Amino acid sequence: MSFILSILIFFPLVAAPAAYAVTKLNKRFGIYLSLGLAVAELAVATYVAWRVYATPPGIGSYLLVQSVPWISVGSFTVNYLVGVDGLSTPLLFVSALLTVFVVFGSRKLIDHHEAEYYSLIFLFEGAIMGVFASLDLILFYVFWEVVLIPMFFFIAVWGGPRRKYAALKFIIFTFAGSTVMLLGFLYFYLGMAHYVSPSFDIPTIQAALQAHEIPVSLEYAPLLASFIGFAVKLPLFPFHTWLPDAHVEAPAPISVLLAGVLLKMGGYGFLRISIGLFPTASADFAWVFVALALISMFYGAIAAVLQKDMKKLIAFTSINHMGFVLFGAFASLLIADPAVAYLGIEGAIFMMFAHALAVGCLFMLSGYIHHQAGTREIPSLKGLGTTMPRTAVVLVLASAAAMGLPPFASFLAEFMVIVAGISASAVTIVSVLVPIITAGYFLWMIKRTVLSKPEGTVEVHDMAWSDVAMFAAYLAPLVVLLVASYLILGPALPVAEFLRGLA
Amino acid sequence: MLTASIVILGAGALLLPLLQVVKRGQQQLAGYILAAILAVSFLLIGLFTMSPTAVPWADGLLSPDQLGGVFALVMLGVTLAVTVASFDFIKTSSNPVYYSLLGFTALGMVLLAYSDDLLMLFVAWELMSLPTYALAGFDKKARSNEAAVKYAIIGAMSSAILLYAISLTYGLTGSTQIPMIVSYFAIPAHQTALAGVAVLLFIAGFGFKMSIVPFHMWIPDAYEGAPSTVSTLLASATKKAGFVAAIRVLLVLATVYALTKSPIFSLANVFAALALVTMTVGNISALTQKSMTRLLAYSSIAQAGYILIGFVPFAANPTSAAAALGMTGAILHVINHAILKGAAFLAAGLVFLQLKRTDLGAYNGLARRMPITAITLTLSFLGLAGVPPLNGFWSKLLLFLSVANGPFWWLAVAGIVNSAFSLGYYGWVIKRMYADDPDSPGRVHEPFWFVVVFAVLVGLIIGIGLFPQQAISFASGAANSIIHG
C-alpha cells in the first residue's frame, strides 16, 4: 500500500482552490504560487518515475498500488485502485512537466480571468494523473470525463474568435466517444459474470484472461466500443474533425495540454485497455488498426502540407504522429518474433513521450509568435531569422524534434515504430514516406518564415532569454533521451512483453 | 415519529392562513414557521426511516417502510428548499396562504409515499395535487392563470382515470388494500382482460404525474407559466409522487401478474417502450427550446424516461439481481434528479426574478453577472447529463448496468446515446453562460436565501458524486423493501 499516487492525483485538486484564491487577491503572486505548486507536483511525479525506473514492476504487475473500497451494491463493486508501470509513468511525468511549462508560458499569453484559469489547470492536471494511474475501469472513466470539463472551459473562455463552436464540438465529440466506451465496459463486465466473478479491476481481469477464464467471443464488442472512445481522443481519421478546430481556437498553452497530454489519453487507452483487456480480439483485428493508423498518418501529413495557419499545421502533425503510436502498438501484435514485436509497443510509448514535448514546444512557440508578430499565418510571417533570431532558432530546433531528426529522441521512436511495422509486413514500408512528407512541410514552413526576407513595417519583438530557457527545457529531455533511452525503454520492456504475451 | 410529523405538518398547514388575520405585515413569519415545520418533519421521518417503529393507526393504510421513507425525505427536502427560496421570491400580500398550500402539498406527498391502500393513495394524491393547482396560478398573471387552468384540467383528468382504475380493481378484487389485491391476482384464473384495462389505466393516471410520454403535453406549459418556485416543486417533488405510486401499485403487481398472455405486451415491454420514447422525445424536444423553463421541462421528461429504465428488469423478473440493481438505480435517480432539477429550477427562477426573462438569451454571460447561479446551473446540468464525478452519473450507471446484459440491452444503448445527446443542449447553455457576452454588464444581486439553498444543493451534487456509497445503500435498502415485501 502506498499513498504516493494519491498525492499525485489529489495534490493538484487541492492546489486548484489555493491557486484560485491567491490569484484572485494578487495576480502576480498567484502566478508565482501556481508555478511553485506545479513544480512541487513535478517533484512528486519525478519521485514516482524514479521509483519505477529503479525497480521496474515485473511482467503484468504494477507498482505503488493503492486499493480502497469505494462503492458496492450487490455484486457490483468499484474500488479506488491506482498503480503505475512502464506505460503510465512516462505519461504521468510528461504531464507534470508540461504543466510547469504551461503555467510558466501562460503568464504572458493569458490576460483575463487568471484565477479561474490557473485553478482549472490544476483540476485538469489532477484528472489527467487520475486517468493514467487508475487501474479500475469505472475510476478510469470518472477521471477520463473530468478531464473534459476544464478543457471545455479553456477553449470556451480563453479561446479565439470561433471558440464557442470549437468548445461545443470538442465536448460533444469526446463525450459521445467516451459514453460508447463506458457502454463497452459495462457489456464486458456483465458478460464476464457468466464465467468468473465480474470485476472492473484491470489486474484481476488480466489474471482471468491469462487463465483463459473469459471467452474470446466476449472481447469483440467492447473492443469496438472502446475503439470509438480512444479513436476520438487520439484522434484517428475520420474521428479527428474536432481537433483542428479545438487547436486553432484554444490559447497556445492549452494547445500544449491538448496535444501533449489529452491526445495521449487515446494512445494510452489503446495500449492499456484495448490491447490489455481485449488482447485476442485486438490481435485478430490488428490489421484493421494498422491500416487505419497508416491512413491517419498519411492524412495528417498531407493535410499539414496544405495549412497556412502555423497552429493548424502543428495540429495536423499531431494526427500524423499519434497515428504512429497506434501503428506501432498494433503492428507488434502481428510480428512473430517477440524481440522485434516489443519494439512496436516500446516505440509507441516512446513516441507518446517524445511527441508530447516536441509538439508541446511547437504549440507554445506558435503562441509566442502570434503574441509577438500578431499573426500565425505562415505566408505573412517573413524573415523571422532576422527580426526574431532567438524565436527562429527555437522554431528550427523544435521542428527538427517534431520531424524526428537526431539529436532528438523522436528520431529513435519513429525508427522503432517503422522497424516494427516493416517486420509485421513489407507492405507497411510505405510508412517511411510519412517522415519524409513531415520533413518536407516543416522545412517548407521554415523556408517561408525563417529564411525569407523580412517585409512590412510591423514592429516585432524577440522573446526574452527566460523564455528561451523554457523552450530549451522542452527540448533538452529529448536530447538526453536519445543517449539515455533506457530511462523509458527499461521500464517499458516488461509492459511490451506483457501486452504482447496476452495476445 | 411518523405520526408526529404528519400531525405537525397537517396542523401547520391548517393554522398558517390564520397568520393573515392575526398579524398583517409580518409576512415572512409564515415562511419561517413552515420551514421550521418541514425541517422538524424531515428530521423525524429521517429518524423513523433509520429505526422504524409500528404505526398504530396505519394498519393496512400505510406501509411504513424504507421506500416510503426515501420518497418522503426527498419530497420534504425539496419542499423545504422551495420554501426557503420563497423567502426572497414571493413578496405578494397573501403570503401565509402560499406557505399553507405548500404545507398541504407536503403532507399529501408524505402520506402518498407511505400509502399501501388504493383509497388512501387516492386521498393523498388529491391532497398533494389540489394545492398545486392553486399554487401554479399564484402569480395571478395571464400566463400563470393559463398554466394553472391547463394543469388543473389535466390533473383532474388524471385523477378521474386513476379513480376509474381503482374502482375497476375494487370491483374485481373486492379490496382496496394493495397486498390483498396482489394476492388476488396471483391466481392465474383471476388475470382477466379487465384487469389488464385497470393496469393500463393506472399507467396512464400515474403517467401524467411522472411526466412520461405520451402523457407529458401539459408539463412545459405548466412549468413555464407557474411561479418558478412552484415549478421546482412540480418537477422535483410531485413528479416523484407519481413514481412512488407506480412502484407501490404497478411494480408490486408485476411480481405476480403478466399484462397479457402474449409475451409481446408484457409489463416489462410496456415500461421499456415508454422509457425509450420518453427519454428520446424529452431530449429531442429540449434541444429546440428557446425558453429555459421549457428546456428544463423537457429535460425533466427525459429524466423520467431514465428512471423508468430501472422498472424494466424488475417487471421482467422481480427476483433477479438485475431487478435489485435497477430498482436501486431508479430510486437513486429519483433522489439525484430531485437535487439536480431542484437546483436547476431554482437557479432559473432566480434569473427570472432578477432579470425578468426566461429566454435563453438572458443566460448569455451569466457567469459574469450572477456567478453563483451560473456555477450552480453548470454543475446541475453536468449532473443531469451524467458526467462523473457528479451524483447523476452513479444512478445512470446503475440504471444502464441493470439492463446492459439481457433482452433489454438496447435500452442501455439508447440511454447512453441519449445522455451524450443531452449534453448538446446542456453544453449550449453552459457555453452561453461562460463564453457569450451579456446584453448588459454589471453584477446582479443574488439573494442570501437562494445562495444558501444553492450551496446545500451543490454540496449534495458533489458530495453524493464523490462518496456515493451512503446514498446507494439507502436506495438499495428502499429497493429491497419492495423486492422482499
Side-chain angles (χ1 to χ4, degrees), chain B residues 120-421:
Chain B
M120 181 72 223
L121 186 132
F122 186 74
V123 170
W125 184 270
E126 289 299 297
L127 183 57
M128 169 191 82
S129 304
L130 289 174
T132 58
Y133 303 147
L135 284 171
F138 212 76
D139 272 357
K140 294 184 189 156
K141 291 175 191 142
R143 216 166 56 147
S144 183
N145 288 345
E146 186 195 328
V149 170
K150 216 175 235 173
Y151 175 39
I153 290 172
I154 298 280
M157 196 168 80
S158 75
S159 296
I161 291 174
L162 205 55
L163 203 54
Y164 191 40
I166 292 173
S167 40
L168 273 182
T169 315
Y170 180 70
L172 285 169
T173 64
S175 172
T176 56
Q177 293 195 5
I178 293 170
M180 304 280 280
I181 295 167
V182 171
S183 57
Y184 177 86
F185 280 120
I187 299 160
H190 292 161
Q191 298 181 3
T192 56
L194 202 53
V197 173
V199 167
L200 290 178
L201 286 173
F202 271 121
I203 293 179
F206 297 145
F208 280 107
K209 272 284 183 307
M210 288 195 277
S211 75
I212 57 178
V213 177
F215 314 111
H216 68 290
M217 306 300 189
W218 62 278
I219 299 264
D221 294 330
Y223 286 9
E224 195 184 22
S228 305
T229 44
V230 177
S231 305
T232 314
L233 186 76
L234 295 182
S236 299
T238 62
K239 173 175 165 166
K240 307 301 180 285
F243 280 98
V244 71
I247 293 174
R248 289 239 184 252
V249 178
L250 289 171
L251 284 186
V252 169
L253 207 55
T255 55
V256 295
Y257 173 76
L259 192 53
T260 57
K261 301 275 184 297
S262 147
I264 297 170
F265 289 100
S266 69
L267 209 49
N269 283 352
V270 170
F271 281 134
L274 287 174
L276 177 69
V277 174
T278 302
M279 60 190 175
T280 313
V281 169
N283 277 324
I284 292 178
S285 313
L287 192 67
T288 58
Q289 298 307 315
K290 304 237 169 355
S291 135
M292 187 60 161
T293 347
R294 293 185 81 87
L295 184 147
L296 288 176
Y298 279 110
S299 129
S300 178
I301 293 169
Q303 299 290 333
Y306 297 129
I307 299 174
L308 268 186
I309 293 179
F311 286 16
V312 173
F314 186 91
N317 178 6
T319 51
S320 67
L325 210 55
M327 284 310 293
T328 307
I331 293 168
L332 186 63
H333 204 62
V334 163
I335 300 173
N336 287 340
H337 179 250
I339 297 168
L340 292 163
K341 216 18 100 46
F345 262 109
L346 287 176
L350 183 57
V351 172
F352 176 69
L353 181 70
Q354 302 295 55
L355 306 181
K356 304 286 173 243
R357 287 172 67 183
T358 60
D359 60 305
L360 289 179
Y363 289 80
N364 290 355
L366 195 73
R368 268 178 267 170
R369 309 191 67 194
M370 305 169 80
I372 300 169
T373 313
I375 192 79
T376 306
L377 207 48
T378 303
L379 284 169
S380 84
F381 275 6
L382 292 174
L384 286 169
V387 174
L390 303 175
N391 59 354
F393 167 69
W394 296 108
S395 41
K396 278 194 184 178
L397 182 68
L398 293 182
L399 286 170
F400 299 157
L401 192 68
S402 72
V403 289
N405 190 23
F408 295 103
W409 59 270
W410 48 270
L411 262 184
V413 176
I416 280 190
V417 170
N418 261 290
S419 294
F421 184 82

Side-chain angles (χ1 to χ4, degrees), chain B residues 32-206:
Chain B
Y32 296 146
I33 293 175
L34 183 66
I37 289 174
L38 288 169
V40 171
S41 314
F42 187 88
L43 286 178
L44 285 174
I45 291 186
L47 286 173
F48 177 77
T49 312
M50 273 187 278
S51 56
T53 46
V55 181
W57 46 271
D59 184 33
L61 285 183
L62 300 183
S63 163
D65 53 12
Q66 201 173 342
L67 179 76
V70 168
F71 276 89
L73 288 175
V74 167
M75 292 157 177
L76 281 175
V78 171
T79 316
L80 182 59
V82 167
T83 307
V84 173
S86 299
F87 295 168
D88 289 312
F89 199 85
I90 300 294
K91 306 269 187 204
T92 48
S93 60
S94 41
N95 257 330
V97 174
Y98 172 85
Y99 290 112
S100 158
L101 289 172
L102 276 181
F104 276 120
T105 307
L107 177 61
M109 289 191 291
V110 169
L111 288 174
L112 185 74
Y114 287 110
S115 289
D116 205 22
D117 182 290
L118 289 180
L119 275 183
M120 181 72 223
L121 186 132
F122 186 74
V123 170
W125 184 270
E126 289 299 297
L127 183 57
M128 169 191 82
S129 304
L130 289 174
T132 58
Y133 303 147
L135 284 171
F138 212 76
D139 272 357
K140 294 184 189 156
K141 291 175 191 142
R143 216 166 56 147
S144 183
N145 288 345
E146 186 195 328
V149 170
K150 216 175 235 173
Y151 175 39
I153 290 172
I154 298 280
M157 196 168 80
S158 75
S159 296
I161 291 174
L162 205 55
L163 203 54
Y164 191 40
I166 292 173
S167 40
L168 273 182
T169 315
Y170 180 70
L172 285 169
T173 64
S175 172
T176 56
Q177 293 195 5
I178 293 170
M180 304 280 280
I181 295 167
V182 171
S183 57
Y184 177 86
F185 280 120
I187 299 160
H190 292 161
Q191 298 181 3
T192 56
L194 202 53
V197 173
V199 167
L200 290 178
L201 286 173
F202 271 121
I203 293 179
F206 297 145

Side-chain angles (χ1 to χ4, degrees), chain A residues 308-331:
Chain A
K308 290 202 171 69
D309 182 342
M310 186 185 272
K311 236 177 149 188
K312 220 164 179 173
L313 180 142
I314 308 166
F316 278 103
T317 323
S318 291
I319 298 177
N320 161 5
H321 280 126
M322 293 311 288
F324 267 100
V325 174
L326 191 65
F327 181 51
F330 281 87

Side-chain angles (χ1 to χ4, degrees), chain A residues 1-270:
Chain A
M1 191 70 90
S2 163
F3 300 103
I4 192 77
L5 289 178
S6 294
I7 296 174
L8 195 64
I9 296 168
F10 293 107
F11 174 71
L13 301 182
V14 178
Y20 178 83
V22 175
T23 316
K24 203 84 188 169
L25 291 173
N26 182 333
K27 252 173 220 170
R28 209 179 151 74
F29 188 66
I31 293 169
Y32 288 136
L33 177 80
S34 303
L35 192 59
L37 291 168
V39 170
E41 172 77 355
L42 178 63
V44 182
T46 312
Y47 172 74
V48 170
W50 174 77
R51 284 286 301 271
V52 171
Y53 173 70
T55 49
I59 295 172
S61 62
Y62 302 89
L63 206 65
L64 305 172
V65 174
Q66 184 185 2
S67 176
V68 180
W70 191 19
I71 290 147
S72 137
V73 43
S75 68
F76 170 78
T77 49
V78 178
N79 293 321
Y80 170 83
L81 177 68
V82 290
V84 286
D85 62 1
L87 167 59
S88 45
T89 311
L91 298 174
L92 287 171
F93 178 76
V94 86
S95 305
L97 186 62
L98 284 180
T99 306
V100 175
F101 294 157
V102 164
V103 171
F104 188 76
S106 298
R107 76 196 194 287
K108 283 186 182 160
L109 301 177
I110 298 298
D111 52 8
H112 62 102
H113 294 91
E114 289 88 349
E116 288 83 357
Y117 178 83
Y118 289 103
S119 57
L120 281 175
I121 291 263
F122 286 112
L123 179 61
F124 180 85
E125 186 180 28
I128 276 287
M129 296 295 169
V131 168
F132 292 139
S134 300
L135 290 179
D136 181 286
L137 289 177
I138 297 294
L139 185 66
F140 173 80
Y141 177 78
V142 168
F143 283 123
W144 180 276
E145 293 286 50
V146 176
V147 168
L148 299 185
I149 297 163
M151 191 47 83
F152 172 79
F153 284 107
F154 283 142
I155 301 174
V157 178
W158 291 276
R162 289 172 70 241
R163 61 202 157 103
K164 299 162 198 168
Y165 167 77
L168 263 186
K169 191 170 178 183
F170 164 78
I171 199 154
I172 292 172
F173 260 71
T174 48
F175 188 69
S178 46
T179 47
V180 174
M181 174 182 89
L182 176 67
L183 192 62
F185 293 166
L186 298 185
Y187 174 90
F188 191 55
Y189 174 84
L190 292 164
M192 209 190 306
H194 298 296
Y195 309 97
V196 290
S197 77
S199 175
F200 286 114
D201 178 335
I202 294 176
T204 309
I205 301 173
Q206 285 172 337
L209 284 172
Q210 282 176 314
H212 299 289
E213 287 169 345
I214 301 173
V216 174
S217 57
L218 206 58
E219 292 179 8
Y220 293 96
L223 176 72
L224 178 69
S226 62
F227 164 76
I228 290 173
F230 302 141
V232 170
K233 272 282 190 324
L234 192 65
L236 192 68
F237 177 85
F239 301 95
H240 69 285
T241 61
W242 62 271
L243 181 89
D245 286 314
H247 267 309
V248 168
E249 300 309 323
I254 296 312
S255 282
V256 175
L257 289 182
L258 199 56
V261 180
L262 192 123
L263 302 193
K264 304 299 169 289
M265 290 163 64
Y268 173 81
F270 272 119

